[in-house]
Amino acid sequence: MNNIKHTFYSNVNDEGELQRNVRQQIKELLPYYKKQRITITIEKFKSKRSDQQNRYLHALFTIFKNELNALGNEFSMQQVKDLCKLKFAKVDMINTQTGEVMGERIKGTSEMNKTELNEFIENIIMWAASYFSISLPYPNETTTLNFD
């Protein structure tokens, strides 16, 4: 059992208890770790984004790049992505000892869960429309890409 990581997913009921089957699984594993130091981590479950969201995000940056370049710019897709992240993906860096904000960093899109990514996309679409008069498609819209 050494060097094996066990991950459990459970809802927590109104009494603050794990699901019965998960409690049982953990109880059955503990004897294998007698007299050993172990790590237990509990965190809120976050669903990761889907492959469809990844494909859409790539298409969104490509369309945005093409539209910005049609206005006389020469941006790469990575530059447009970096610009959007700089504008909408800053997060505070907190000193865990004091709770003080030490500065900011740019959160990678791969770190975003589905909700965060949807907010990021919504901000980009609204910014493109209001600041550049560029209409970007929403995730459920069908569009044809022209890569001339």
mmCIF file of all heavy atoms in Angstrom, residues 85-106:
data_model
loop_
_atom_site.group_PDB
_atom_site.id
_atom_site.type_symbol
_atom_site.label_atom_id
_atom_site.label_comp_id
_atom_site.label_asym_id
_atom_site.label_seq_id
_atom_site.Cartn_x
_atom_site.Cartn_y
_atom_site.Cartn_z
ATOM 1 N N LYS A 85 -6.182 37.068 -20.588
ATOM 2 C CA LYS A 85 -5.849 36.594 -19.252
ATOM 3 C C LYS A 85 -5.370 37.743 -18.366
ATOM 4 O O LYS A 85 -5.721 37.816 -17.192
ATOM 5 C CB LYS A 85 -4.795 35.493 -19.322
ATOM 6 C CG LYS A 85 -5.353 34.180 -19.821
ATOM 7 C CD LYS A 85 -4.354 33.086 -20.087
ATOM 8 C CE LYS A 85 -3.093 33.093 -19.328
ATOM 9 N NZ LYS A 85 -2.174 32.002 -19.687
ATOM 10 N N LEU A 86 -4.581 38.654 -18.925
ATOM 11 C CA LEU A 86 -4.106 39.806 -18.176
ATOM 12 C C LEU A 86 -5.281 40.672 -17.729
ATOM 13 O O LEU A 86 -5.294 41.210 -16.622
ATOM 14 C CB LEU A 86 -3.141 40.625 -19.030
ATOM 15 C CG LEU A 86 -2.494 41.835 -18.382
ATOM 16 C CD1 LEU A 86 -1.628 41.420 -17.199
ATOM 17 C CD2 LEU A 86 -1.655 42.592 -19.404
ATOM 18 N N LYS A 87 -6.279 40.770 -18.575
ATOM 19 C CA LYS A 87 -7.441 41.610 -18.278
ATOM 20 C C LYS A 87 -8.425 40.927 -17.318
ATOM 21 O O LYS A 87 -8.983 41.581 -16.445
ATOM 22 C CB LYS A 87 -8.143 41.966 -19.583
ATOM 23 C CG LYS A 87 -9.271 42.948 -19.430
ATOM 24 C CD LYS A 87 -9.161 44.038 -20.444
ATOM 25 C CE LYS A 87 -10.219 45.090 -20.287
ATOM 26 N NZ LYS A 87 -9.879 46.139 -19.360
ATOM 27 N N PHE A 88 -8.640 39.597 -17.481
ATOM 28 C CA PHE A 88 -9.736 38.948 -16.768
ATOM 29 C C PHE A 88 -9.356 37.751 -15.886
ATOM 30 O O PHE A 88 -10.237 37.131 -15.302
ATOM 31 C CB PHE A 88 -10.800 38.481 -17.771
ATOM 32 C CG PHE A 88 -11.382 39.593 -18.575
ATOM 33 C CD1 PHE A 88 -11.159 39.657 -19.935
ATOM 34 C CD2 PHE A 88 -12.135 40.589 -17.980
ATOM 35 C CE1 PHE A 88 -11.690 40.689 -20.692
ATOM 36 C CE2 PHE A 88 -12.671 41.630 -18.724
ATOM 37 C CZ PHE A 88 -12.446 41.677 -20.089
ATOM 38 N N ALA A 89 -8.079 37.410 -15.795
ATOM 39 C CA ALA A 89 -7.713 36.213 -15.023
ATOM 40 C C ALA A 89 -6.692 36.509 -13.928
ATOM 41 O O ALA A 89 -5.948 35.631 -13.526
ATOM 42 C CB ALA A 89 -7.195 35.134 -15.969
ATOM 43 N N LYS A 90 -6.685 37.727 -13.419
ATOM 44 C CA LYS A 90 -5.796 38.039 -12.305
ATOM 45 C C LYS A 90 -6.411 37.529 -11.014
ATOM 46 O O LYS A 90 -7.611 37.645 -10.795
ATOM 47 C CB LYS A 90 -5.590 39.550 -12.193
ATOM 48 C CG LYS A 90 -4.718 40.141 -13.258
ATOM 49 C CD LYS A 90 -4.512 41.612 -12.982
ATOM 50 C CE LYS A 90 -3.779 42.285 -14.103
ATOM 51 N NZ LYS A 90 -3.717 43.740 -13.879
ATOM 52 N N VAL A 91 -5.563 36.953 -10.181
ATOM 53 C CA VAL A 91 -6.001 36.495 -8.854
ATOM 54 C C VAL A 91 -5.001 36.988 -7.812
ATOM 55 O O VAL A 91 -3.810 37.146 -8.104
ATOM 56 C CB VAL A 91 -6.137 34.956 -8.781
ATOM 57 C CG1 VAL A 91 -7.292 34.470 -9.637
ATOM 58 C CG2 VAL A 91 -4.860 34.254 -9.154
ATOM 59 N N ASP A 92 -5.498 37.231 -6.606
ATOM 60 C CA ASP A 92 -4.642 37.675 -5.514
ATOM 61 C C ASP A 92 -3.771 36.532 -5.029
ATOM 62 O O ASP A 92 -4.199 35.387 -4.981
ATOM 63 C CB ASP A 92 -5.485 38.184 -4.342
ATOM 64 C CG ASP A 92 -6.165 39.506 -4.644
ATOM 65 O OD1 ASP A 92 -5.694 40.245 -5.529
ATOM 66 O OD2 ASP A 92 -7.185 39.800 -3.984
ATOM 67 N N MET A 93 -2.549 36.864 -4.661
ATOM 68 C CA MET A 93 -1.647 35.925 -3.995
ATOM 69 C C MET A 93 -1.687 36.281 -2.514
ATOM 70 O O MET A 93 -1.342 37.400 -2.135
ATOM 71 C CB MET A 93 -0.238 36.026 -4.557
ATOM 72 C CG MET A 93 -0.157 35.586 -6.006
ATOM 73 S SD MET A 93 1.528 35.573 -6.639
ATOM 74 C CE MET A 93 2.221 34.244 -5.692
ATOM 75 N N ILE A 94 -2.130 35.329 -1.713
ATOM 76 C CA ILE A 94 -2.366 35.562 -0.288
ATOM 77 C C ILE A 94 -1.272 34.905 0.544
ATOM 78 O O ILE A 94 -0.918 33.750 0.312
ATOM 79 C CB ILE A 94 -3.733 34.972 0.137
ATOM 80 C CG1 ILE A 94 -4.858 35.411 -0.799
ATOM 81 C CG2 ILE A 94 -4.043 35.286 1.592
ATOM 82 C CD1 ILE A 94 -5.303 36.822 -0.664
ATOM 83 N N ASN A 95 -0.764 35.634 1.524
ATOM 84 C CA ASN A 95 0.143 35.059 2.512
ATOM 85 C C ASN A 95 -0.717 34.223 3.447
ATOM 86 O O ASN A 95 -1.553 34.760 4.183
ATOM 87 C CB ASN A 95 0.864 36.173 3.276
ATOM 88 C CG ASN A 95 1.831 35.650 4.306
ATOM 89 O OD1 ASN A 95 1.625 34.597 4.902
ATOM 90 N ND2 ASN A 95 2.899 36.396 4.528
ATOM 91 N N THR A 96 -0.537 32.905 3.418
ATOM 92 C CA THR A 96 -1.389 32.013 4.209
ATOM 93 C C THR A 96 -1.181 32.192 5.707
ATOM 94 O O THR A 96 -2.069 31.867 6.489
ATOM 95 C CB THR A 96 -1.146 30.536 3.824
ATOM 96 O OG1 THR A 96 0.241 30.242 3.963
ATOM 97 C CG2 THR A 96 -1.591 30.272 2.404
ATOM 98 N N GLN A 97 -0.040 32.721 6.112
ATOM 99 C CA GLN A 97 0.229 32.947 7.536
ATOM 100 C C GLN A 97 -0.562 34.144 8.068
ATOM 101 O O GLN A 97 -1.126 34.094 9.153
ATOM 102 C CB GLN A 97 1.731 33.209 7.755
ATOM 103 C CG GLN A 97 2.627 32.108 7.268
ATOM 104 C CD GLN A 97 2.725 30.980 8.271
ATOM 105 O OE1 GLN A 97 2.716 31.205 9.459
ATOM 106 N NE2 GLN A 97 2.800 29.758 7.773
ATOM 107 N N THR A 98 -0.601 35.230 7.268
ATOM 108 C CA THR A 98 -1.202 36.483 7.748
ATOM 109 C C THR A 98 -2.537 36.807 7.082
ATOM 110 O O THR A 98 -3.267 37.663 7.566
ATOM 111 C CB THR A 98 -0.244 37.659 7.473
ATOM 112 O OG1 THR A 98 -0.100 37.826 6.051
ATOM 113 C CG2 THR A 98 1.112 37.441 8.128
ATOM 114 N N GLY A 99 -2.832 36.175 5.952
ATOM 115 C CA GLY A 99 -4.044 36.505 5.206
ATOM 116 C C GLY A 99 -3.887 37.752 4.351
ATOM 117 O O GLY A 99 -4.819 38.200 3.704
ATOM 118 N N GLU A 100 -2.692 38.324 4.351
ATOM 119 C CA GLU A 100 -2.417 39.551 3.614
ATOM 120 C C GLU A 100 -2.243 39.268 2.123
ATOM 121 O O GLU A 100 -1.654 38.260 1.739
ATOM 122 C CB GLU A 100 -1.133 40.179 4.171
ATOM 123 C CG GLU A 100 -0.695 41.429 3.473
ATOM 124 C CD GLU A 100 0.639 41.952 4.004
ATOM 125 O OE1 GLU A 100 1.252 41.302 4.875
ATOM 126 O OE2 GLU A 100 1.069 42.992 3.513
ATOM 127 N N VAL A 101 -2.752 40.182 1.295
ATOM 128 C CA VAL A 101 -2.557 40.079 -0.149
ATOM 129 C C VAL A 101 -1.135 40.544 -0.452
ATOM 130 O O VAL A 101 -0.768 41.680 -0.162
ATOM 131 C CB VAL A 101 -3.587 40.936 -0.925
ATOM 132 C CG1 VAL A 101 -3.298 40.905 -2.420
ATOM 133 C CG2 VAL A 101 -4.996 40.463 -0.644
ATOM 134 N N MET A 102 -0.343 39.638 -1.038
ATOM 135 C CA MET A 102 1.058 39.946 -1.336
ATOM 136 C C MET A 102 1.229 40.519 -2.740
ATOM 137 O O MET A 102 2.205 41.196 -3.026
ATOM 138 C CB MET A 102 1.900 38.675 -1.206
ATOM 139 C CG MET A 102 1.902 38.111 0.185
ATOM 140 S SD MET A 102 2.638 36.463 0.351
ATOM 141 C CE MET A 102 3.947 36.424 -0.810
ATOM 142 N N GLY A 103 0.298 40.221 -3.613
ATOM 143 C CA GLY A 103 0.384 40.674 -4.987
ATOM 144 C C GLY A 103 -0.649 39.945 -5.826
ATOM 145 O O GLY A 103 -1.592 39.358 -5.292
ATOM 146 N N GLU A 104 -0.445 39.988 -7.129
ATOM 147 C CA GLU A 104 -1.355 39.323 -8.053
ATOM 148 C C GLU A 104 -0.567 38.411 -8.975
ATOM 149 O O GLU A 104 0.626 38.603 -9.177
ATOM 150 C CB GLU A 104 -2.099 40.343 -8.923
ATOM 151 C CG GLU A 104 -3.090 41.196 -8.201
ATOM 152 C CD GLU A 104 -3.785 42.166 -9.150
ATOM 153 O OE1 GLU A 104 -3.110 42.770 -10.006
ATOM 154 O OE2 GLU A 104 -5.006 42.304 -9.026
ATOM 155 N N ARG A 105 -1.266 37.429 -9.530
ATOM 156 C CA ARG A 105 -0.702 36.600 -10.569
ATOM 157 C C ARG A 105 -1.804 36.353 -11.587
ATOM 158 O O ARG A 105 -2.978 36.595 -11.322
ATOM 159 C CB ARG A 105 -0.156 35.293 -10.023
ATOM 160 C CG ARG A 105 -1.215 34.297 -9.594
ATOM 161 C CD ARG A 105 -0.584 32.953 -9.195
ATOM 162 N NE ARG A 105 -1.582 31.988 -8.832
ATOM 163 C CZ ARG A 105 -2.203 31.174 -9.699
ATOM 164 N NH1 ARG A 105 -1.914 31.229 -10.980
ATOM 165 N NH2 ARG A 105 -3.112 30.309 -9.286
ATOM 166 N N ILE A 106 -1.405 35.877 -12.748
ATOM 167 C CA ILE A 106 -2.372 35.555 -13.793
ATOM 168 C C ILE A 106 -2.682 34.072 -13.707
ATOM 169 O O ILE A 106 -1.782 33.234 -13.771
ATOM 170 C CB ILE A 106 -1.839 35.947 -15.182
ATOM 171 C CG1 ILE A 106 -1.640 37.463 -15.235
ATOM 172 C CG2 ILE A 106 -2.789 35.478 -16.272
ATOM 173 C CD1 ILE A 106 -0.959 37.950 -16.486
#
